[in-house]
Structure formats: structure tokens, C-alpha cells
Amino acid sequence: MQTQTNMTDTPQALCKTLQLNPKTVQSLKVDLNSPFPLKVPKDFLAQIQLNDPTDPLLKQVLPLKIEHQTADGFSQDPVSDLAFNPTPSLIHKYHGRVLLIASPKCDIHCRYCFRRHFPYSEQTNTRHWKKALDYIAQNPSIHEVILSGGDPMSLSEKSLIQLIEKIEAIPHIKTLRIHSRTPIVAPSKAPTQALIAWAKQTRLHKVLVVHCNHANELSPQTAKLFSLYKEAGFHLLNQSVLLKGINDQVSILENLSHALFSQGVLPYYLNQLDRVQGAAHFEVDRHTALNLHNQLRKCLSGYLLPNLVQDTSNPFYKVPIT
Ligand SMILES: *Cc1c(COP(=O)(O)O)cnc(C)c1O
Ligand code: SF4
């Protein structure tokens, strides 16, 4: 993932902006030199409470020294993506759909990111797109292309539209799915104008899967953006990651489902953490996760209950936690 040097993007500057008291900062054991550096867009920053070291959004972005601890069972490629990599930038793991790593960049660096060690520089050069598109064109069993990353919405609007027009030109592709956290973390920045115009006239079915972990990430700005996508014919879904100390409470998850629905988004997946080195402190154990999900089932309408799943090297589907 690319880094951007910005004076306001250091952990010290962030803590200062958020008016965290220096003693608290010290006790958090902030990592000032993380190889996966702090990156937090201003819209997301605006949703973080001042002077609260336990803020659930802050915890998703603040680099801590604990990330250097190695943990058993945690690896660099926890979902074996590289075993299903027919051409660079393309992952063909499940029947009927492929995942195209469209951009190495994200607007935010989530501390738990499962792709923090992914060899993006080898995988995500736009020169790989032709090969990937050829592979898709030659495989009529593929009906859905998923743009992922990094974050595909960190591409320039021009590149993104060039790519989706090429996908649209492949007759057996019926659905374009975009997986992006940009609409949540940088709703004022999301590239939409030309994309919306394209979306209104394409023959493809369109799905936008956003990534929101806590209701505090939603705002009037995200609501406005979702209406725009909805109007252009996108189905809006959300995936979350279950994160210890961030959203591992029934009331938080219940609120999240309601808040998403009030903005026109349906909960899709609640992912058990991918076991990537550096993220072990965020893991909720399987028993607790299942318990939470069972309690959630009791208080939510069926259509507001996300599927609790684990991404593994299973070549067929995301595995339900049971
Ligand atoms: C998650 C994922 C998909 C999509 O799976 P769905 O269950 O259809 O959401 C496709 N390919 C890969 C490699 C994935 O990780
Ligand atoms: S937006 Fe997604 S891919 Fe990017 S850092 Fe966060 S979890 Fe990782």
C-alpha cells in the first residue's frame, strides 16, 4: 500500500488534533514509525470524538506497538489469495466471480487490514489489466467482476471508467460489484460524477459493497452519497469486520444495522478477522463471535442480520461461523 507523507498525518499530530492528553498517548504505546503508516482522511477524522482514547474509530487507525507482536496462526497471506492468482491482479477463487485488484491505494489505513502485507506493487499495475480482462473474456463461467484493492475508488475516475467500460464489453459479464471503503471514510471525496453517468446507462447490474464497522462512521454526508448511488441503480450492501474493543457488543452491532438501513444500505457480511500478522489484538474468538451473532439474531429483522463468516483458503465460499 502506498504511503503519503503529510505533516498532519503523523500519530503525534493526530493525537494532538484529537486533544488526547500526552499521558494517555504514552499509555497507549503508539507506534511512531509503523511500516504500515497512519493514514486517516479528514471526513473520518471529523467523526472521531475528541479526548477519547477508546473511540471506536480512533482504534481503527492509530498504529500501536502491539502490532509488532507475532501470534500463532497469523500469517502474511491468511486467505491464500496468492494460490488463486491466474494472472497478476486477478483472484479467481469462487465459482462465477473474479476479484480484480484495481488499485493498491486506500484513503485510510485500517490497522486490521488483511492485505497489509499483500505484494501490491507486483499485483496492481494497470498494465496487468489487459491480461486480466483477457482471462475474464476467455472464461464464460464468470458472470460477475468484483473490483477490490486496496480501494478501487482510489483510482482516478478516468481510469475507473476505462476499466468498467472494458468489463462491460465482455458479453458474459452480467454484474459489476465494487468493494470500497471510500464512501464511508471519505464521502466528500468519492469520485462519482462520470461514474454515476456511466451507471445510469450501463446494461450491467451494479452492486456497491461498502465497509463500515460502527454507526459513528455514518453521517449526513454518507447518506447523501448513498442516495446518489441508489438513484444510479446500485444495490447497496455493507460488510463489517468484527473487531475486539470496537464493535464486539450486541448493542453496537444492532445500532450499526439500523443506521445502515436508515441510509439505504443492507448488512451483508460480518467478517471474522482475517488472521494477518499484526492484527491479533483485534480478534474476537469464535465462541464469542457466535454468541454475539445469536443474540443479534434475536433483536434484528432477518434482513438486517449480516452473515457471520470467515474468509479462509476455502476455494468455494466464505465459511459461515457455526
Ligand atoms: C469475498 C470474495 C469474493 C466474493 O464473495 P461473495 O461471497 O460473493 O461476496 C470473491 N472472490 C474473492 C477472492 C473473495 O475474497
Ligand atoms: S480500506 Fe480495506 S483494503 Fe484499505 S486498509 Fe482498510 S481494510 Fe484494508
Side-chain angles (χ1 to χ4, degrees), residues 79 81 84 91-95 97-99 114-115 144 146 177 179 209 239 268-269 271 311-312 316-318:
V79 295
D81 275 351
F84 303 92
I91 301 170
H92 190 186
K93 194 163 153 186
Y94 301 149
H95 179 78
R97 55 235 198 261
V98 287
L99 191 146
F114 76 111
R115 291 216 169 100
E144 177 173 15
I146 302 168
R177 186 186 334 173
H179 278 197
V209 182
Q239 57 176 336
Y268 178 41
Y269 279 142
N271 296 285
D311 199 355
T312 62
F316 304 111
Y317 48 81
K318 308 260 187 269

Side-chain angles (χ1 to χ4, degrees), residues 39-53:
K39 189 173 184 185
V40 50
K42 65 175 176 16
D43 294 342
F44 193 82
L45 182 64
Q47 299 299 111
I48 302 178
Q49 301 297 310
L50 295 182
N51 190 20
D52 181 4

